[in-house]
């Protein structure tokens, strides 16, 4: 059982702090597997991109889960082919999807236009969610406070709709991302955050509520759990340790 250093409640959010990334990944995989096993209906699991979740996905791929009821999808995707090294589809497949018998809905980045791809993917997702709401959505957080592909000072932050195409100036690239309203509709959100590079922004969000995109998601979602390692939690003032 992963060793959790502390859990703290700040508003409707809970912050779970783990000694190291391996304990974080084990605990996150257990939490997800338990949630899937707690129901007998179709269960949707939104997957975060980037690097942090890979260890959780590898653990989850080993869990005793009835994957036949699970629909996996991506909270965001880079506008690259699915075999590109930057592809979240590729990362999710190599660490989890190709190792389990679940359903995986990936955005089609071979579309000519990112807006069409985003709209099509959003329509597909809405048919897959139980009562139109995602069950668990996993999210990462960048050191600029972005989450999914919702970046600071970007029009996507206030866009309606389910899934969006957004030009990310800082990366000079298109991204596809779940919208704020879609993320807010989730039954549970789990942020997976690790590393000292995230410590400053995490403290600004948890201790001061600074409205980074990650904070904007957490502020209006129903049931938010931050699962973080000690390095990312190092500057938190509101969590006694
Ligand atoms: C992406 C992610 C993005 C990621 C953060 C953190 O496509 O890049 O969805 O929001 O979660 O950038 O990335 P790391 O976990 O690699 O630090």
């Amino acid at each position: 059982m992963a060793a959790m250093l502390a859990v703290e409640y700040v508003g409707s959010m809970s912050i779970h702090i783990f000694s190291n990334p391996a304990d974080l990944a084990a605990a996150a995989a257990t939490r997800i597997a338990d949630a899937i096993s707690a129901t007998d209906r179709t269960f949707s699991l939104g997957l975060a991109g980037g690097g942090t979740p890979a260890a959780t996905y590898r653990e989850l791929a080993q869990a005793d889960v009835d994957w036949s009821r699970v629909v996996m999808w991506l909270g965001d995707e880079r506008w690259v082919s699915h075999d590109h090294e930057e592809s979240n589809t590729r990362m999710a497949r190599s660490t989890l999807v190709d190792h389990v018998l679940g359903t995986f809905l990936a955005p089609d980045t071979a579309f000519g236009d990112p807006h069409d791809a985003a709209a099509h993917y959003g329509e597909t997702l809405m048919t897959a969610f139980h009562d139109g709401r995602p069950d668990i959505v996993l999210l990462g957080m960048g050191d600029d406070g972005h989450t999914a592909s919702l970046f600071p000072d970007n029009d996507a932050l206030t866009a309606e709709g389910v899934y969006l195409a957004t030009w990310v100036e800082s990366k000079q690239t298109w991204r596809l991302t779940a919208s704020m309203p879609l993320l807010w509709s989730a039954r549970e959100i789990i942020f997976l955050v690790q590393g000292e590079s995230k410590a400053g922004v995490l403290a600004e969000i948890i201790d001061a509520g600074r409205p980074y995109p990650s904070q904007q998601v957490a502020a209006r979602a129903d049931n938010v759990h931050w699962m973080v390692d000690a390095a990312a939690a190092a500057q938190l003032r509101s969590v006694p340790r």
Side-chain angles (χ1 to χ4, degrees):
M1 181 66 187
M4 180 160 64
L5 295 179
V7 58
E8 174 71 10
Y9 298 91
V10 178
S12 65
M13 300 188 297
S14 65
I15 297 97
H16 311 251
I17 302 174
F18 298 90
S19 302
N20 55 64
D23 284 354
L24 192 170
T30 299
R31 183 179 188 90
I32 297 160
D34 289 351
I36 296 169
S37 302
T39 178
D40 57 6
R41 61 166 171 77
T42 298
F43 190 97
S44 67
L45 177 61
L47 301 178
T52 299
T56 295
Y57 299 163
R58 291 191 182 97
E59 288 278 345
L60 191 55
Q62 305 305 315
D64 178 17
V65 166
D66 176 8
W67 288 102
S68 68
R69 295 185 290 107
V70 181
V71 176
M72 292 166 279
W73 58 283
L74 285 173
D76 76 315
E77 180 56 292
R78 291 83 182 274
W79 190 240
V80 296
S81 62
H82 286 171
D83 60 359
H84 190 283
E85 64 180 3
E86 287 290 307
S87 166
N88 286 335
T89 296
R90 173 178 165 172
M91 182 273 290
R93 281 183 172 154
S94 67
T95 55
L96 174 59
V97 173
D98 288 354
H99 306 281
V100 297
L101 295 175
T103 300
F104 180 47
L105 302 175
D108 182 349
T109 53
F111 259 81
D113 176 282
H115 294 86
D116 293 343
H120 178 79
Y121 190 54
E123 288 164 12
T124 302
L125 290 179
M126 289 311 289
T127 66
F129 296 149
H130 177 70
D131 289 344
R133 295 181 64 190
D135 287 302
I136 288 184
V137 179
L138 305 176
L139 291 172
M141 184 184 76
D143 56 13
D144 61 355
H146 83 264
T147 190
S149 283
L150 297 167
F151 285 79
D153 308 317
N154 189 299
D155 293 344
L157 293 174
T158 55
E160 294 299 318
V162 176
Y163 220 86
L164 312 166
T166 174
W167 175 257
V168 182
E169 190 65 26
S170 59
K171 295 183 181 286
Q172 287 292 298
T173 184
W174 283 101
R175 291 282 191 93
L176 305 183
T177 186
S179 68
M180 281 287 181
L182 176 58
L183 296 178
W184 291 330
S185 73
R187 291 184 175 83
E188 177 170 339
I189 284 187
I190 300 174
F191 282 96
L192 302 173
V193 183
Q194 68 188 38
E196 61 180 333
S197 70
K198 312 292 175 71
V201 177
L202 187 64
E204 288 182 270
I205 289 171
I206 302 298
D207 294 335
R210 184 155 173 207
Y212 291 102
S214 298
Q215 188 277 342
Q216 292 179 42
V217 171
R220 287 185 56 176
D222 277 350
N223 181 13
V224 178
H225 300 270
W226 294 83
M227 299 185 80
V228 305
D229 73 346
Q235 296 181 32
L236 288 181
R237 291 194 321 276
S238 58
V239 180
R241 263 157 295 144

